[in-house]
Amino acid sequence: MAEAKEPEAIPFELTETDLENLAGGDEKFTPHSWEDLKHIIAENNLSILKRKPSDLRRYITWTNKTKASFASITDFVCSQRLHWKPLPEVSTATGPLLECRSSVPFSDSNDYKILLNDWPYGITSDVTHIIVWSKVRLPDQKPEGYLTAESTALVKAFVETTFPERLAAYGDAHARERVLWFRNWTGLQSVRGLEHVHVFVRDAAKDLLDEWTGVGESQR
């Protein structure tokens, strides 16, 4: 008799939606549509966002392997994806500290980076999942980690300037209707050591995605 394979360790807390999703498998999975995303974000019901079960399993495997090779997922993202070198000091409250040109989030382009999400939620093909990484932490409310009103206003202003305004420059009269954003509260963050905001853009042209993510540019 073949020896039973040990179940893979779960490297992060799974939501009830994740558990139901894994039990159902890909054949029962329905990706999030744009209207679904709008409703979830408007209701702040972020815990029901889900990945395709096979993608979630791959994400679990990748996380375990990455943690075995790097000190943490935060360390991997800093060194391999963002190319940011943390300062020697470490904050137990926020994770690595990074040298910033400005103390105001998103006010200096050297203090943030826009990348496509390597592990996007299970969304329909017309939607692109983007992550905005910030060296500057966003003030939030403890202990849950919800954004303060001031932080929400900062993120909203940045997102609207960066995404809808560029879409509008391409002649899109409904640009604001094609962009959504949210920032997970602490309990839902899989990379808690680095500040990041999720952005969804509908029907984004490749040249705009390349512009936003700096494809072809030297690393900052």
Side-chain angles (χ1 to χ4, degrees), residues 61-82:
T61 298
W62 175 86
T63 300
N64 283 327
K65 288 181 177 178
T66 303
K67 282 186 172 181
S69 301
F70 292 82
S72 64
I73 298 300
T74 297
D75 180 61
F76 169 83
V77 173
C78 257
S79 64
Q80 304 300 306
R81 296 295 285 122
L82 299 172

Side-chain angles (χ1 to χ4, degrees), residues 138-206:
L138 290 163
D140 55 19
Q141 306 173 57
K142 307 302 181 187
E144 296 87 354
Y146 300 121
L147 290 182
T148 63
E150 293 78 9
S151 294
T152 299
L154 277 171
V155 178
K156 182 179 179 182
F158 169 79
V159 168
E160 289 184 352
T161 300
T162 305
F163 299 99
E165 285 191 10
R166 290 299 296 134
L167 289 167
Y170 275 60
D172 188 341
H174 304 286
R176 290 185 184 276
E177 299 172 14
R178 288 173 52 192
V179 179
L180 299 169
W181 72 271
F182 70 89
R183 189 263 209 178
N184 271 325
W185 60 83
T186 304
L188 294 179
Q189 293 175 349
S190 57
V191 186
R192 298 182 184 180
L194 289 171
E195 189 65 77
H196 58 288
V197 173
H198 296 257
V199 178
F200 295 114
V201 183
R202 188 178 189 184
D203 296 325
K206 184 180 183 303

Side-chain angles (χ1 to χ4, degrees), residues 125-139:
S125 59
D126 59 323
V127 184
T128 301
H129 190 173
I130 294 169
I131 301 290
V132 181
W133 300 91
S134 174
K135 292 180 181 179
V136 188
R137 301 297 299 198
L138 290 163

